[in-house]
Amino acid sequence: ELVRLDAEQAVRGVERISGAPVYRLRGALLPLVFLDEQLQLQRARRSDEDMYIVVLQADDQPFGLVVDAIRDTAEIVVKPLQKQLKNIPLFAGASIMGDGRVALVLDVLGIAQQAGVVSGVKSLFASEPATPTESRGPTRPQAHDDTPGASR
């Protein structure tokens, strides 16, 4: 599920409980995880920006992943990462897009673990051997960093 909050809704709708940001979605508290923070990107949030929340679930715990923008959703083929990159818990694999660019696919469980939304569960992708076989992945939102100077 994708949730777009205009700037005013974002300011009013995001609450803090014990210092952690949350959003009330249909009456339930949804912990928020900011993708730019998880990727350790330096980005100043402005109060006049819209907020985009991708509602995800890891280990039966729903949470909202806040991204800069939603450009598109697509059916993709996810290829496992090579062994040199397997130790990065935030990425599950990679996909070659229609225009030939390579897109890294986020590991929802890895992000949730790093952010402290869930704990003590190993990522399914981390235990899979790196093989050249392809697997058909589900439709996944693609998050893009549109900040000036961001690498593509």
Side-chain angles (χ1 to χ4, degrees):
E1 176 179 1
L2 303 174
V3 177
R4 179 187 164 272
L5 304 176
D6 65 33
E8 185 179 322
Q9 290 173 315
V11 170
R12 283 186 294 115
V14 176
E15 305 172 41
R16 293 212 170 257
I17 297 181
S18 299
V22 296
Y23 175 70
R24 283 189 195 277
L25 182 63
R26 293 183 293 280
L29 289 177
L30 185 70
L32 296 179
V33 175
F34 291 82
L35 182 59
D36 58 349
E37 291 175 5
Q38 297 306 306
L39 296 175
Q40 299 177 1
L41 299 174
Q42 299 297 321
R43 182 180 185 284
R45 279 187 206 87
R46 299 185 338 235
S47 62
D48 63 344
E49 288 182 318
D50 292 350
M51 180 180 281
Y52 300 91
I53 303 170
V54 182
V55 180
L56 303 169
Q57 187 166 319
D59 196 29
D60 296 325
Q61 172 63 49
F63 70 99
L65 183 65
V66 179
V67 298
D68 292 341
I70 305 292
R71 295 237 178 116
D72 199 3
T73 59
E75 282 285 324
I76 59 173
V77 176
V78 179
K79 295 183 178 255
L81 294 173
Q82 296 296 320
K83 65 179 178 178
Q84 296 88 343
L85 300 173
K86 291 288 273 181
N87 293 336
I88 302 173
L90 300 181
F91 300 106
S95 182
I96 299 174
M97 306 309 291
D99 61 4
R101 291 182 301 154
V102 175
L104 291 172
V105 177
L106 297 173
D107 182 345
V108 173
L109 184 57
I111 291 171
Q113 288 175 336
Q114 180 171 304
V117 174
V118 298
S119 63
V121 180
K122 284 182 83 170
S123 169
L124 296 175
F125 287 101
S127 62
E128 290 179 358
T131 62
T133 60
E134 295 180 354
S135 63
R136 186 82 171 151
T139 301
R140 298 174 190 254
Q142 299 170 10
H144 297 276
D145 183 3
D146 288 335
T147 56
S151 60
R152 299 210 183 262

